[in-house]
Amino acid sequence: MSLVTATPQVATGSEDGLSYGPRPAYLVNMLPEGALKEKLQSCAGQTPTRSSFSIGHRGAPLMFPEHTVQSNVAAAQMGAGILECDVTFTKDLELICRHAQDDLATTTNILTTDLAETCITPFTPASGNTPALAECRSSDLTLAEFRSLTPKMDSFDKTATTAAASQGGVAPWRSTQYVDGATSMTHAESIALFKSLGTKFTPELKSPAVEMPFNGFSLQDYAQKMIDEYKAAGIPPSDVWPQSFDLEVVKYWIEHEPEFGKQAVYLDGRYSGDSPLNPMDPDSFSPSMQELADMGVNYIAPPMWMLLTLENGQMVPSAYATKAKTAGLKLITWTLERSGPLTTGGGWYFQTVQPAIHDASGYYQVLDVLAQDVGIAGIFSDWPATVTYYANCMGF
């Protein structure tokens, strides 16, 4: 049965049926008095339209199991113009949508099924100060076995003493109300679904958890197969933004699939490692922004905090943002509404501007600086309606 025809009906290629829901107004009303609040309030009666500035991060996982049909339908209904499939592979080398090759213990019910025996790290109960553990990989399952699993909200109760209890642990600011009937997807099925929803595509080639080549399947084969599935579906390269944290993969696309490579996105993970990049110190950028541009990279995507800093208590672009723009790189960033309540500064995603973050209105304050001052081309969100409302109101 086709996932597309089995999906709740959403108007194909039109703006009919789009809805912001209550969240944007809730956040706008929390903003302090000023020009931003006045502008966003003035758009309260606007008709939602789809915006490529608004990117669904694994769909809409604030409330729906990530990388499911239902999560992506919800994101499309909120006006996200681009949807994401994180791509990994199964034992029989089929491409599927999964945030990581080794995330099945947290995103599916595998630990409570017979397939638990395939897990590379079987469930180990918590004991004293030692947390519960488990690791289960899609590369140890065939596609048919993967399809037999039930998606769930991404969570793992580290205090659990049984596999069944480990299925809990959902963050209190997320929801389990929309898990029933959640349907996982292959990468090819995500292409068909997103096309039917009238959106564009941003697949991320996930780093393998297994040594490559895997059963004769090289990293280059993997990168090529992902692109080949868009070509087989007749998707124009201009509608696809392929992503990778691996610069060598991005360079592979630029060299071997130049039409797709034009929009290849280098996900910048250089904030970690032995010599982490400092977003305020251009001397720590290796390669430099200009060197990336000279390689043919046109898009770079760091986490939000790398693009911002504080000056006199105000949020302003970081040196990283300034250097990227000077080199002609287009910026995409992640991830709005991935954090919980912002009353304590917003955590990891807001770390460079935490003193300026006081409550949930910080989402719109940060978004406004990123859009107006940094000049980002798009932003991933776990609840795309928030970004769509802003984009529609501000003309992005």
Side-chain angles (χ1 to χ4, degrees):
M1 179 173 62
S2 167
L3 284 178
V4 176
T5 57
T7 297
Q9 294 301 302
V10 176
T12 302
S14 78
E15 306 304 334
D16 296 338
L18 301 188
S19 173
Y20 298 128
R23 185 160 177 77
Y26 165 77
L27 296 176
V28 169
N29 288 336
M30 294 185 71
L31 282 166
E33 298 302 320
L36 178 59
K37 184 172 186 175
E38 289 176 9
K39 175 60 177 176
L40 293 178
Q41 284 182 328
S42 75
C43 298
Q46 69 187 357
T47 300
T49 57
R50 195 169 304 288
S51 172
S52 293
F53 186 81
S54 178
I55 307 171
H57 180 243
R58 314 181 206 174
L62 189 65
M63 297 182 73
F64 293 82
E66 64 185 42
H67 288 310
T68 60
V69 171
Q70 291 74 13
S71 185
N72 283 287
V73 168
Q77 288 173 327
M78 296 179 205
I82 303 174
L83 297 177
E84 178 186 44
C85 169
D86 288 333
V87 179
T88 188
F89 56 86
T90 59
K91 185 176 182 179
D92 44 356
L93 306 182
E94 295 293 336
L95 302 186
I96 60 173
C97 297
R98 199 92 322 251
H99 179 243
Q101 195 167 58
D102 56 0
D103 75 353
L104 297 182
T106 67
T107 61
T108 75
N109 67 334
I110 189 170
L111 292 177
T112 61
T113 73
D114 291 343
L115 290 171
E117 65 186 20
T118 68
C119 295
I120 188 168
T121 303
F123 175 77
T124 304
S127 177
N129 293 325
T130 303
L133 296 172
E135 181 186 344
C136 311
R137 297 176 176 176
S138 59
S139 52
D140 289 326
L141 303 181
T142 65
L143 177 58
E145 290 171 329
F146 170 71
R147 288 193 189 279
S148 74
L149 301 175
T150 299
K152 71 179 189 71
M153 293 298 285
D154 186 10
S155 63
F156 184 81
D157 187 346
K158 294 182 179 180
T159 69
T161 57
T162 67
S166 74
Q167 304 297 282
V170 178
W173 39 271
R174 295 189 180 273
S175 173
T176 58
Q177 293 184 75
Y178 302 99
V179 299
D180 291 348
T183 309
S184 59
M185 297 183 291
T186 66
H187 175 239
E189 288 166 344
S190 79
I191 296 172
L193 176 65
F194 298 175
K195 182 178 179 180
S196 79
L197 296 171
T199 72
K200 298 180 182 181
F201 314 81
T202 186
E204 180 190 339
L205 196 80
K206 302 303 294 190
S207 298
V210 294
E211 185 176 348
M212 300 292 277
F214 176 78
N215 293 344
F217 191 54
S218 70
L219 183 62
Q220 293 74 23
D221 294 334
Y222 178 29
Q224 186 63 52
K225 183 168 184 174
M226 190 183 86
I227 298 300
D228 286 346
E229 293 195 343
Y230 288 93
K231 295 164 76 172
I235 304 299
S238 59
D239 286 351
V240 184
W241 285 263
Q243 312 170 70
S244 179
F245 278 99
D246 188 335
L247 183 56
E248 293 305 310
V249 168
V250 173
K251 290 164 63 177
Y252 173 88
W253 289 325
I254 291 169
E255 179 180 354
H256 295 277
E257 290 288 351
E259 291 304 305
F260 287 90
K262 289 177 184 177
Q263 294 188 162
V265 181
Y266 173 41
L267 294 164
D268 198 346
R270 292 178 291 171
Y271 50 79
S272 62
D274 294 335
S275 300
L277 178 151
N278 176 350
M280 292 305 296
D281 179 11
D283 289 340
S284 72
F285 305 172
S286 180
S288 70
M289 297 300 182
Q290 189 58 55
E291 287 170 337
L292 288 171
D294 292 344
M295 293 174 193
V297 175
N298 291 320
Y299 286 85
I300 189 168
M304 297 187 304
W305 63 267
M306 288 174 62
L307 296 175
L308 301 172
T309 190
L310 292 178
E311 286 185 3
N312 300 319
Q314 301 298 309
M315 288 182 275
V316 297
S318 66
Y320 179 106
T322 301
K323 288 292 185 180
K325 297 295 282 187
T326 299
L329 298 175
K330 298 179 179 70
L331 289 162
I332 297 172
T333 192
W334 41 279
T335 302
L336 199 70
E337 297 188 271
R338 189 70 184 165
S339 297
L342 302 189
T343 51
T344 57
W348 189 84
Y349 289 94
F350 297 83
Q351 59 186 277
T352 52
V353 293
Q354 282 183 352
I357 303 297
H358 307 294
D359 56 38
S361 67
Y363 288 125
Y364 273 133
Q365 293 169 322
V366 165
L367 179 57
D368 192 52
V369 176
L370 289 170
Q372 305 290 350
D373 300 332
V374 174
I376 59 172
I379 184 168
F380 286 87
S381 178
D382 278 16
W383 198 248
T386 301
V387 177
T388 305
Y389 182 92
Y390 177 91
N392 288 173
C393 187
M394 298 294 190
F396 284 90

